[in-house]
Amino acid sequence: MSFVKAVKGNTYPDDREGFLYALSRRESSSDLNLPDHHQTNLKPQRVHSQGHRGYIGYFQFGEAALYDAGYFTVPHPFSLAKNSPFQMAITNNDWTGTWTGKNGVRSKNDFLEGRKHQIDAMNFFIQRHCSVLRNLNINEFYGKKVNGIELTESGCCAGAHLVGAKHVLDFALGIANETDGNKTPISHYIDLFAHYNLGTCCQRKIYIRVKKDGKPVSGKSVIVESDYPKGKYYKQIGKITNTYTTNEEGRIPVIVRHPGAKIKISVDGISKELIQESNQVQRYEIDISNGISIKATLDRPSTPEPKPQPNKTPQEIRNASNQSQQPSYGGGRHTKTH
């Protein structure tokens, strides 16, 4: 049993690589399980077959996205003005500009040849989206269901890629279900890309595994309750309760909540409580042979990722300005319509 949904007929592993493969599948109909030279993957790599409105590659990047990631620049001085030559050039996706040479990428062909540089760029945006989601306190909502859709770290990251993190917050608060230029709602991405483990997106993860007589137990219901009364949005969220079913390895989806959240794990009517530690991987084995007992294993703490520093570069200033001018917050596509 997989915790993640099929994307255009394909189901990928629920790890970060699987997330990248699934996102590529949704964005460009590619299949990164196949070689780059396979016919399925050739079209997204061809310059003359770039996507709708000039977006390119496996993840359908625009000029503004690759400018942010440091790969591309345009022949106009930086400006915040909406109708300035800079702003007009960086959003029209005609690719009239200069490739910076970052990671050896000196042309569009370099960037599109194979998956390496495209995946590097997407990993850059995964980390950026995750940082912005944390800074907007969206991690308080992880586990909450809105219109039947559970908000997860990976689903919210995908939603931020679609239309921006600010619209993820709007959806979480029940304010709006923003769509992209193709009328794809953010709820679709939040749902489609739920329950992937993005690894270093944040350092805190809780892994639960259920065993009986030393063997994994599949098909077992596990109730996960989480509560974070100190949260900024606690009045809107309250206590969160979800029921997951263990897979053939006795596991449930990785749990990510706000640091300090109280979490109660219940199996067969017996419960244990724990705290979501900050920047800590926590692994728990639940043995239901005689009642219930929990064996905990904590990985060594990792160095916390620094929060993004506002106004540190002209590009970050430009992003901040865009946030005030339009209802988005740093989407990797940058107003992509496909």
Side-chain angles (χ1 to χ4, degrees), residues 215-259:
K215 297 180 180 180
V217 178
S218 63
K220 176 65 67 174
S221 293
V222 178
I223 300 172
V224 178
E225 299 174 76
S226 56
D227 197 23
Y228 186 62
K230 295 180 180 179
K232 179 178 179 180
Y233 296 106
Y234 187 70
K235 289 184 179 180
Q236 292 92 331
I237 299 171
K239 183 180 291 186
I240 298 170
T241 303
N242 289 289
T243 301
Y244 303 108
T245 302
T246 57
N247 65 8
E248 61 278 2
E249 297 176 341
R251 302 183 186 278
I252 63 172
V254 61
I255 299 172
V256 181
R257 301 291 187 264
H258 193 283

Side-chain angles (χ1 to χ4, degrees), residues 68-297:
D68 284 350
Y71 288 92
F72 186 80
T73 189
V74 293
H76 300 287
F78 173 81
S79 173
L80 293 173
K82 183 177 181 180
N83 295 321
S84 66
F86 176 85
Q87 292 288 342
M88 297 293 287
I90 204 67
T91 57
N92 67 10
N93 294 333
D94 65 1
W95 301 97
T96 301
T98 303
W99 292 82
T100 65
K102 179 179 179 179
N103 294 335
V105 176
R106 295 178 176 82
S107 68
K108 192 192 298 183
N109 279 318
D110 285 348
F111 184 75
L112 292 175
E113 186 176 3
R115 69 189 67 187
K116 181 184 184 307
H117 299 305
Q118 299 183 59
I119 286 179
D120 285 348
M122 195 62 236
N123 274 320
F124 168 87
F125 282 109
I126 288 175
Q127 295 305 120
R128 170 174 283 189
H129 293 326
C130 288
S131 294
V132 175
L133 291 170
R134 287 197 298 271
N135 288 347
L136 289 176
N137 296 97
I138 293 173
N139 55 8
E140 293 180 24
F141 292 88
Y142 293 163
K144 178 179 173 61
K145 290 185 178 180
V146 177
N147 297 328
I149 296 173
E150 183 179 346
L151 286 96
T152 64
E153 179 184 67
S154 59
C156 289
C157 185
H161 177 67
L162 182 71
V163 289
K166 174 60 171 63
H167 293 303
V168 177
L169 181 59
D170 288 343
F171 178 77
L173 290 169
I175 295 173
N177 187 8
E178 184 67 21
T179 61
D180 72 350
N182 252 5
K183 305 302 180 184
T184 301
I186 194 171
S187 58
H188 171 66
Y189 267 47
I190 291 174
D191 185 40
L192 183 62
F193 295 102
H195 296 307
Y196 288 89
N197 181 0
L198 297 183
T200 59
C201 186
C202 80
Q203 302 292 345
R204 63 185 178 281
K205 311 285 180 185
I206 294 178
Y207 299 95
I208 302 292
R209 189 176 189 184
V210 179
K211 288 185 174 183
K212 183 175 183 180
D213 298 325
K215 297 180 180 180
V217 178
S218 63
K220 176 65 67 174
S221 293
V222 178
I223 300 172
V224 178
E225 299 174 76
S226 56
D227 197 23
Y228 186 62
K230 295 180 180 179
K232 179 178 179 180
Y233 296 106
Y234 187 70
K235 289 184 179 180
Q236 292 92 331
I237 299 171
K239 183 180 291 186
I240 298 170
T241 303
N242 289 289
T243 301
Y244 303 108
T245 302
T246 57
N247 65 8
E248 61 278 2
E249 297 176 341
R251 302 183 186 278
I252 63 172
V254 61
I255 299 172
V256 181
R257 301 291 187 264
H258 193 283
K262 295 180 180 179
I263 299 176
K264 184 167 72 172
I265 309 294
S266 301
V267 182
D268 290 346
I270 304 174
S271 303
K272 293 289 183 179
E273 292 187 353
L274 53 113
I275 301 293
Q276 176 99 59
E277 300 291 346
S278 177
N279 299 303
Q280 180 71 71
V281 174
Q282 300 161 265
R283 305 178 190 274
Y284 296 90
E285 287 193 355
I286 300 176
D287 192 330
I288 60 173
S289 301
N290 297 298
I292 181 172
S293 62
I294 293 184
K295 178 181 179 181
T297 304

Side-chain angles (χ1 to χ4, degrees), residues 16 102 309 327:
R16 182 159 174 154
K102 179 179 179 179
Q309 298 299 313

